[in-house]
Amino acid sequence: MGWTFTLHGGVAAGLGAVFLSPAALTWLPGTLPLPDASWWQAAIFATAFLTCVSALARLALTRAAKDVVWLAFRCLPGKVQMTLGALAVGGVALLVFSTQEETSLQSAEMKDGRYVAFDTTPHARGMVEISRHRYEDVLESDQRTTLAVPGLLCLGAAYAALTAGELRRADRAAAPADVT
């Protein structure tokens, strides 16, 4: 496998782990000291999107069938497979447990000294005032989702980049040598 595929897959897997770690930390008591500005959320999604699109483009350029892609992933070292699998299972579990919470509130913020959130209940949509404790719960839930989704996208990018590299290596090994 070429070094660019290894680097791309490693950076994507590292970003996935970096994004999933604080998402998991939101289950601990207290709130994470993340900035309230929306620029960091946009930066996280842009990074995950660009990493994922470039990895999918690399995988698409191999023009391999789905079953061959899975076989190529199975040819990667066991530690790589286990690490990506464990991170992906953890990220999916994090999202599933996060969405199972019985809440219709999102986008918590502080306005004029009051805590408000957007209520998505049918026939009652709009901003509602909430308690500080509820504000912290909604804020943590939003942070969890905001960090877990890009983390899973980056793990998918790592899978695609490393698999594309393995497919490229296999194609080069199977190509007939030019004999003169």
Side-chain angles (χ1 to χ4, degrees), residues 50-136:
L50 292 174
T51 305
C52 196
V53 167
S54 60
L56 289 175
R58 289 183 119 175
L59 188 59
L61 289 174
T62 63
R63 296 185 178 142
K66 291 178 188 176
D67 56 335
V68 175
V69 171
W70 176 247
L71 290 174
F73 177 72
R74 298 281 300 159
C75 290
L76 291 172
K79 289 182 181 180
V80 173
Q81 292 178 34
M82 290 297 294
T83 301
L84 285 178
L87 285 170
V89 167
V92 168
L94 191 70
L95 272 181
V96 167
F97 289 129
S98 176
T99 59
Q100 294 302 317
E101 294 176 355
E102 298 287 330
T103 183
S104 61
L105 299 174
Q106 61 187 17
S107 303
E109 57 186 81
M110 201 169 141
K111 284 187 178 178
D112 301 325
R114 300 179 310 145
Y115 299 105
V116 295
F118 186 75
D119 190 1
T120 59
T121 306
H123 307 296
R125 295 179 66 92
M127 297 301 277
V128 294
E129 188 171 348
I130 55 175
S131 67
R132 178 175 172 80
H133 177 71
R134 190 74 178 131
Y135 165 78
E136 290 174 356

Side-chain angles (χ1 to χ4, degrees), residues 26 30-36 40-41 101 105-110 115-117 130 132-147:
T26 60
T31 58
L32 291 178
L34 297 174
D36 288 334
W40 70 271
Q41 295 171 348
E101 294 176 355
L105 299 174
Q106 61 187 17
S107 303
E109 57 186 81
M110 201 169 141
Y115 299 105
V116 295
I130 55 175
R132 178 175 172 80
H133 177 71
R134 190 74 178 131
Y135 165 78
E136 290 174 356
D137 290 343
V138 173
L139 187 64
E140 285 180 342
S141 178
D142 286 349
Q143 288 175 346
R144 193 174 305 121
T145 304
T146 301
L147 292 166

Side-chain angles (χ1 to χ4, degrees), residues 145-162:
T145 304
T146 301
L147 292 166
V149 170
L152 286 173
L153 283 175
C154 286
L155 291 176
Y159 167 81
L162 293 172

